[in-house]
Amino acid sequence: QVQLAESGGGLVQPGGSLRLSCAASGSILNINKMAWFRQAPGKERELVATITSGGRTNYADSVKGRFTISRDNAKNTLYLQMNSLKPEDTAVYYCKADVLSADNLYYVYWGQGTQVTVSS
């Protein structure tokens, strides 16, 4: 079994910064693609950014130039540095990971989510 634990959310003023972390633990042989999603009240969950095991990144247009996704493969940890935050960034942020398990199959795991609120 694999667990993803997010941390780093909170309340921040517009223009401020936050850094989210997502630590994976459990029966992990390898982690392929990792990603951050977010879901605002009354809206569907949307993709924020992705990163491959080799470090290739991709971002939603709404966060390009403000957010940076990164990972530490040795620690099985995913990060999201969020700068110049806007009220419309308010949402629950979820991490997602494609994990290779002992049966040599990839499984998709989600974290429990961490709340980010941008407000003055």
Side-chain angles (χ1 to χ4, degrees):
Q1 187 69 327
V2 173
Q3 296 80 39
L4 300 182
E6 296 117 332
S7 60
L11 173 64
V12 63
Q13 292 185 344
S17 298
L18 282 175
R19 188 191 194 208
L20 305 183
S21 299
C22 172
S25 62
S27 180
I28 299 171
L29 296 184
N30 184 53
I31 301 179
N32 192 5
K33 184 180 288 187
M34 303 184 80
W36 287 100
F37 285 74
R38 67 186 181 186
Q39 187 167 18
K43 295 187 177 182
E44 294 187 353
R45 190 172 296 189
E46 64 173 359
L47 177 66
V48 175
T50 64
I51 185 168
T52 67
S53 56
R56 180 180 297 180
T57 60
N58 191 40
Y59 296 90
D61 287 343
S62 59
V63 306
K64 279 182 182 176
R66 301 187 298 122
F67 291 10
T68 302
I69 189 172
S70 62
R71 61 191 285 175
D72 185 331
N73 291 331
K75 296 181 179 180
N76 289 331
T77 301
L78 176 70
Y79 303 98
L80 185 68
Q81 178 66 43
M82 304 185 294
N83 299 328
S84 302
L85 282 161
K86 305 174 181 180
E88 51 263 43
D89 295 318
T90 296
V92 178
Y93 284 71
Y94 300 89
C95 64
K96 173 179 171 281
D98 299 341
V99 179
L100 180 64
S101 292
D103 58 3
N104 210 36
L105 295 175
Y106 277 96
Y107 295 89
V108 175
Y109 292 92
W110 290 87
Q112 81 287 353
T114 185
Q115 176 70 47
V116 172
T117 302
V118 185
S119 175
S120 55

